[in-house]
Amino acid sequence: MDVPHSSSNAINLGRLATDIGFLLRLAQVKVYERYFREYGDRHIKPGEFSVLWAIAHNPGVRQNVLCQELIIKRSHMTKLVRSLEDRALVSRRVPDEDRRGVELTITDKGQTLVDEIAPWFFAFEDCLGEKMNATEREKLKAQLLKFIASETED
Amino acid sequence: MDVPHSSSNAINLGRLATDIGFLLRLAQVKVYERYFREYGDRHIKPGEFSVLWAIAHNPGVRQNVLCQELIIKRSHMTKLVRSLEDRALVSRRVPDEDRRGVELTITDKGQTLVDEIAPWFFAFEDCLGEKMNATEREKLKAQLLKFIASETED
DNA sequence: TATTGTTATACTCTATAACTATA
DNA sequence: TATAGTTATAGAGTATAACAATA
């Protein structure tokens, strides 16, 4: 198996070069770098968009459910949601049925932003790994989904 | 294709559920969570080990080369290396040939630590995705390597 | 001028724990 | 007691920019 840098570089990473954790980190850093290189001036971060998108597709979703689904810590979600609320992109409502919780709904302004962002956000996704062919990209996604499933509910 | 949470959950993530960037983040978070659940008391973080390991396998490696190979920013590498030096695990030497740089070498104490850590660090790696079979894990690694290569030198 | 490493600052995401309000 | 959310604090890792020393 070909390892990263093996052809162009003097350094020997040994087993680390095929460590799944290491490879996942490299892959994510590459995506992150490219996102900010190409869309850094768009002023929306991947984490923010994922929350906004999830609320848009699940009106009235409870904040706690978002935490579980997107694997974001509660304390961090509080900040993310507040930031979105400060920009009038989402609204919060305390339901009478259970006044401990908060229901989140996207605003018209938020929906307009999602409609504007989603095309290029997912176009970016389609470009990732563009030097692989479509079949290989789908294989990678499928293997990642299996991996995540195998590491869930242990 | 099966998407995460689709069977057990009420929330609809739409296209986000198969977004490569999102999947990479989920996979990495799962690895991170498991590492600290199982090895949190070992007092060595994955990033630290990767630097220590790379120095052990490349005596006299230049700090800047480590930055490029492990994709760690220079300012962050300074802190990482200093932390390792403070624990007497690596030593620094300014070469006469180019006094701008620093050559890194592992100490006897550092080598002893690497010898102690490496077995369980890589055993952890072997356990990741253990519910997938070995062939599928190798496929995932292969696809990740292709992906990283396709996102390098753009 | 360019390169290597350091320092400083800031932001994201993580973790933990204490706290309030509600169930 | 347990749950939902908030607040506070800390740490890792990222980014940027300015800086000194050297090439």
Side-chain angles (χ1 to χ4, degrees):
Chain A
M1 188 185 291
D2 225 14
V3 296
H5 328 296
S6 63
S7 54
S8 60
N9 246 295
I11 201 172
N12 164 28
L13 294 180
R15 286 192 65 182
L16 187 64
T18 54
D19 179 291
I20 286 188
F22 181 69
L23 293 177
L24 285 172
R25 175 183 166 273
L26 288 193
Q28 216 198 352
V29 168
K30 293 288 182 188
V31 172
Y32 190 81
E33 279 180 350
R34 184 167 174 185
Y35 183 89
F36 285 98
R37 190 166 64 241
E38 298 183 6
Y39 296 134
D41 55 344
R42 297 290 218 285
H43 302 301
I44 184 100
K45 283 154 284 186
E48 284 180 332
F49 177 74
S50 69
V51 171
L52 201 56
W53 173 266
I55 295 172
H57 284 70
N58 301 272
V61 67
R62 289 282 293 273
Q63 198 164 308
N64 195 36
V65 173
L66 275 190
C67 290
Q68 292 166 8
E69 294 302 301
L70 303 179
I71 316 194
I72 290 175
K73 283 279 178 284
R74 286 185 304 165
S75 56
H76 186 212
M77 186 61 78
T78 295
K79 296 176 204 165
L80 272 176
V81 169
R82 177 171 306 156
S83 164
L84 295 174
E85 194 189 19
D86 287 347
R87 285 179 277 171
L89 301 175
V90 304
S91 64
R92 295 152 42 90
R93 174 184 163 269
V94 175
D96 289 334
E97 317 86 76
D98 185 342
R99 306 193 60 256
R100 291 175 303 184
V102 174
E103 285 179 0
L104 302 168
T105 312
I106 199 157
T107 62
D108 288 347
K109 185 181 173 191
Q111 187 61 55
T112 301
L113 188 63
V114 166
D115 291 342
E116 179 198 327
I117 289 171
W120 59 256
F121 188 90
F122 291 116
F124 172 75
E125 138 77 13
D126 288 337
C127 285
L128 287 173
E130 58 198 336
K131 290 182 186 169
M132 301 166 79
N133 62 43
T135 308
E136 286 185 323
R137 267 215 306 277
E138 289 309 309
K139 268 199 256 177
L140 172 57
K141 284 191 199 181
Q143 299 294 343
L144 281 172
L145 282 162
K146 281 185 201 168
F147 180 81
I148 293 162
S150 95
E151 289 297 326
T152 301
E153 299 154 16
D154 270 335
Chain B
M1 188 185 292
D2 225 13
V3 296
H5 329 295
S6 63
S7 54
S8 60
N9 247 296
I11 200 172
N12 165 29
L13 294 180
R15 286 191 65 181
L16 186 63
T18 54
D19 180 289
I20 287 188
F22 181 69
L23 293 178
L24 285 171
R25 176 183 166 273
L26 288 193
Q28 216 198 353
V29 168
K30 293 286 182 190
V31 172
Y32 191 81
E33 279 179 350
R34 183 166 174 186
Y35 183 89
F36 284 98
R37 190 165 64 243
E38 299 184 5
Y39 296 134
D41 55 344
R42 297 291 217 283
H43 302 302
I44 184 98
K45 283 153 283 185
E48 283 180 332
F49 176 73
S50 69
V51 171
L52 201 56
W53 173 266
I55 295 172
H57 284 71
N58 301 271
V61 66
R62 289 282 293 272
Q63 197 164 309
N64 195 35
V65 173
L66 275 190
C67 290
Q68 292 165 9
E69 294 302 300
L70 304 179
I71 316 194
I72 291 174
K73 284 279 179 283
R74 287 185 304 165
S75 56
H76 186 211
M77 185 61 78
T78 295
K79 295 176 205 165
L80 272 176
V81 169
R82 177 170 307 156
S83 163
L84 296 174
E85 195 189 18
D86 287 347
R87 285 179 277 171
L89 301 175
V90 304
S91 64
R92 294 152 43 89
R93 175 184 162 269
V94 175
D96 289 335
E97 318 86 75
D98 185 343
R99 306 194 60 257
R100 291 175 303 185
V102 174
E103 286 179 359
L104 302 168
T105 312
I106 199 157
T107 62
D108 288 346
K109 185 180 173 191
Q111 187 60 56
T112 301
L113 188 63
V114 166
D115 292 342
E116 179 197 328
I117 289 170
W120 59 257
F121 187 90
F122 291 116
F124 172 75
E125 137 77 12
D126 289 337
C127 285
L128 287 173
E130 58 199 336
K131 290 183 185 167
M132 301 166 79
N133 63 43
T135 307
E136 286 185 322
R137 267 214 308 276
E138 289 309 310
K139 269 199 257 178
L140 173 57
K141 284 191 199 181
Q143 299 293 342
L144 281 172
L145 283 163
K146 281 186 201 169
F147 180 81
I148 293 162
S150 94
E151 289 296 326
T152 301
E153 298 153 17
D154 270 336

